[in-house]
Amino acid sequence: MANMLVNQDHLLSKIATNNGHAENSPYFDGWKAYDTDPYHPTQNPNGVIQMGLAENQLSFDLVQEWIINNPKASICTAEGANDFRDIAIFQDYHGLPEFRNAVAKFMEKVRGNRVQFDPARIVMSGGATGAQETLAFCLADPGDAFLVPTPYYPGNDRDLTWRTGVQLIPVVCHSSSDFKLTRESLESAYNKARESNIKVKGLLLNNPSNPLGTVLDRETLQESLNFIMEKNIHLICDEIYSATVFGQPGFVSISEIVQENPQCNLNLIHIVYSLSKDLGFPGFRVGIVYSYNDTVVNCARKMSSFGLVSTQTQHLIANMLSDDVFVDRFLTESSEKLGARHDIISKGLAQVGIGSLKSNAGLYCWMDLRRLLKEATFEAELELWRVIVNEVRLNVSPGASFHCSEPGWFRVCFANMDDETMSVALARIHKFVMQKKGVETSAKKQCRRIKLEISLSFRRLDEISTNSPMSSPLVRT
């Protein structure tokens, strides 16, 4: 059977037979480990705890409360059934007007109402995955490239490249500067691409960052804008975590920077958004392309036919996001809950001497396990990761899968579980680190003992050589 499949590969497309989805990586392997043996507090207490999924479940109670109190928002309830026919029949790919208006208004509120978004530029897509790919199709040809600062979300390698043939060029950032993006690193990556005859079509920024959990400051955004303007390339800002900021400095959208630079070429600016992270609705597949380029908007809208958001979902979301009282409460309480959970995990890690990058956004923390590596290599990182998944029973994501330039960093998600599961996860981490410390302490004692024995041996040799020169090893040699 295997030989038959191999022999038939030539009958299939390159996409069907290549590994462009990049599923064979530690990032996805950790998910498989969880799927085959998931943790449950009573039915499977030794199972794998999922800490590799960036999902926001901390405010589901608010959403469920709203749904119960607003049954007409769904066409699948007795109260909302009167709207069933109008919503269930064909709708064009522009999307329901009330949906686009509500999403634009929500995006404005998340950004402190400091900018305005035109509902006519809201283009639907099947999640941020579809939005990223749609923009890649609109902005680049096969073989062209986008610059992406490291570390970056592993899914980018799939979303932007698999079906489009586009390349991603890493812009290397370092822990010594908290992985801050610099003009020097941008220029270096751009020049290397040009030297390799690769056409750079744009820069992709993730703000707030996944996996760092940090926001890009105004200066970095301005410098990035200056860079793409000088090179005449596109700027894609992935802002899907914009409402997960729980501390200072606050979130600054590229839309604000553009507003402050009226001379900039708006045709080069594009935003990716979704409701997967900010509201915790990844299953709804609500992705958004917002472009200041009319041609891109028109093309992306036509392409959205391949990944529309269902009208049932649009209808529900439009009603929910039009409720100002709910939205204000959700944004406030969600931020507070994320901040409280971040404190729990960061302080819990610090109790056993594990550091993490200082952050104030996202659904994860960037954990520093460099001191637990046997050596400063990605092979050692992978070995440590296997221990964490298979023995500690935690699915965390190794930095190599995020294209981190330095081994020893891991992304740990904290918002996809309840308080009890978080406590179990931290207890497992504590036990593991303390065992490692115990082994290290024992090894150090053993090393000191060996050194002492060697020292005593040499002392005895010295005594022997003083009394009998013929016994000296040097004399024998």
Side-chain angles (χ1 to χ4, degrees):
M1 178 63 72
N3 289 333
M4 289 178 61
L5 291 175
V6 171
N7 293 333
Q8 292 184 33
D9 276 355
H10 70 282
L11 299 176
L12 305 176
S13 71
K14 291 180 180 179
I15 287 181
T17 55
N18 69 17
N19 188 36
H21 189 274
E23 194 174 57
N24 297 322
S25 75
Y27 178 76
F28 291 105
D29 286 345
W31 284 43
K32 296 170 188 174
Y34 167 77
D35 289 339
T36 56
D37 190 20
Y39 167 82
H40 188 277
T42 57
Q43 298 176 15
N44 192 22
N46 295 318
V48 177
I49 295 177
Q50 175 64 288
M51 303 189 83
L53 177 61
E55 196 168 70
N56 186 1
Q57 298 186 20
L58 300 185
S59 296
F60 269 179
D61 57 330
L62 301 180
V63 177
Q64 291 172 337
E65 178 185 327
W66 186 90
I67 291 174
I68 292 171
N69 293 333
N70 295 270
K72 290 188 66 176
S74 171
I75 60 172
C76 297
T77 62
E79 294 84 353
N82 289 338
D83 294 322
F84 184 90
R85 182 178 182 279
D86 291 336
I87 299 301
I89 60 175
F90 174 78
Q91 304 286 346
D92 71 22
Y93 45 74
H94 286 74
L96 299 177
E98 57 268 31
F99 169 78
R100 289 186 284 116
N101 290 335
V103 170
K105 185 178 178 182
F106 182 72
M107 290 174 66
E108 292 171 359
K109 185 160 288 190
V110 168
R111 290 151 184 79
N113 292 314
R114 295 182 294 272
V115 292
Q116 289 186 324
F117 291 101
D118 182 358
R121 294 188 178 278
I122 297 288
V123 180
M124 291 184 299
S125 146
T129 295
Q132 295 275 36
E133 185 185 60
T134 297
L135 276 175
F137 271 124
C138 289
L139 304 181
D141 293 314
D144 293 344
F146 292 102
L147 304 179
V148 190
T150 64
Y152 65 78
Y153 169 55
N156 287 342
D157 295 316
R158 169 201 63 205
D159 301 348
L160 283 100
T161 72
W162 185 26
R163 301 196 295 187
T164 65
V166 171
Q167 303 181 62
L168 298 185
I169 305 295
V171 179
V172 179
C173 303
H174 303 281
S175 63
S176 57
S177 59
D178 293 335
F179 299 99
K180 183 179 176 65
L181 177 63
T182 65
R183 180 59 181 262
E184 291 75 20
S185 59
L186 284 170
E187 292 285 357
S188 176
Y190 181 83
N191 291 333
K192 286 180 180 178
R194 293 291 297 272
E195 291 168 3
S196 301
N197 294 318
I198 298 173
K199 188 176 184 179
V200 177
K201 293 300 294 289
L203 168 64
L204 171 64
L205 298 180
N206 181 215
N207 181 34
S209 168
N210 175 15
L212 300 179
T214 56
V215 295
L216 294 178
D217 56 41
R218 190 175 295 273
E219 292 72 24
T220 301
L221 289 169
Q222 181 65 60
E223 193 60 59
S224 299
L225 181 61
N226 294 342
F227 174 79
I228 66 103
M229 292 292 292
E230 291 176 18
K231 307 299 185 186
N232 195 34
I233 60 176
H234 294 277
L235 177 58
I236 302 174
C237 279
D238 178 347
E239 299 185 346
I240 67 173
Y241 289 95
S242 53
T244 68
V245 179
F246 48 80
Q248 293 300 318
F251 173 68
V252 179
S253 170
I254 191 61
S255 55
E256 297 178 50
I257 305 301
V258 167
Q259 186 173 268
E260 296 166 3
N261 291 265
Q263 79 287 353
C264 77
N265 184 356
L266 288 175
N267 286 321
L268 300 176
I269 312 301
H270 321 275
I271 296 174
V272 170
Y273 189 57
S274 83
L275 303 183
S276 298
K277 309 303 181 181
D278 284 355
L279 285 174
F281 295 166
F284 279 15
R285 310 309 302 149
V286 179
I288 300 296
V289 171
Y290 189 93
S291 176
Y292 292 89
N293 185 311
D294 292 340
T295 303
V296 170
V297 170
N298 292 332
C299 180
R301 181 157 288 134
K302 294 169 186 173
M303 295 183 72
S304 70
S305 298
F306 299 99
L308 289 173
V309 179
S310 75
T311 49
Q312 176 184 342
T313 300
Q314 291 183 54
H315 180 69
L316 176 65
I317 292 297
N319 279 273
M320 182 181 295
L321 297 187
S322 297
D323 186 336
D324 290 333
V325 174
F326 166 77
V327 170
D328 290 341
R329 181 188 176 195
F330 181 92
L331 291 176
T332 298
E333 294 193 22
S334 176
S335 175
E336 292 172 351
K337 290 178 179 180
L338 288 172
R341 179 59 67 81
H342 178 269
D343 284 346
I344 290 173
I345 189 166
S346 59
K347 291 177 180 177
L349 294 175
Q351 286 176 354
V352 286
I354 298 177
S356 57
L357 186 70
K358 184 178 180 181
S359 59
N360 66 322
L363 312 173
Y364 34 73
C365 66
W366 192 230
M367 181 172 64
D368 183 2
L369 296 185
R370 286 177 293 179
R371 70 177 183 83
L372 297 186
L373 298 180
K374 290 183 177 179
E375 55 184 358
T377 64
F378 286 107
E379 289 77 11
E381 176 185 280
L382 192 58
E383 181 181 346
L384 177 60
W385 171 79
R386 289 194 184 99
V387 171
I388 295 174
V389 172
N390 297 322
E391 298 180 20
V392 187
R393 314 293 285 158
L394 300 176
N395 174 31
V396 300
S397 305
S401 61
F402 294 85
H403 298 271
C404 185
S405 59
E406 305 166 24
W409 294 88
F410 293 77
R411 191 190 71 170
V412 184
C413 299
F414 57 72
N416 62 334
M417 64 189 75
D418 56 29
D419 291 340
E420 290 74 19
T421 304
M422 174 56 66
S423 297
V424 174
L426 282 174
R428 291 183 182 183
I429 293 173
H430 284 197
K431 181 180 179 181
F432 169 65
V433 175
M434 296 309 294
Q435 286 177 340
K436 290 278 288 185
K437 284 184 176 180
V439 171
E440 290 172 359
T441 300
S442 177
K444 288 179 180 178
K445 288 181 179 178
Q446 178 77 354
C447 183
R448 285 197 295 268
R449 184 182 65 78
I450 293 173
K451 286 182 178 178
L452 178 59
E453 290 178 352
I454 293 173
S455 175
L456 291 174
S457 297
F458 274 109
R459 186 179 302 173
R460 286 194 295 271
L461 285 172
D462 287 341
E463 292 172 354
I464 293 171
S465 63
T466 301
N467 299 325
S468 176
M470 294 301 294
S471 301
S472 170
L474 293 175
V475 173
R476 287 200 303 271
T477 303

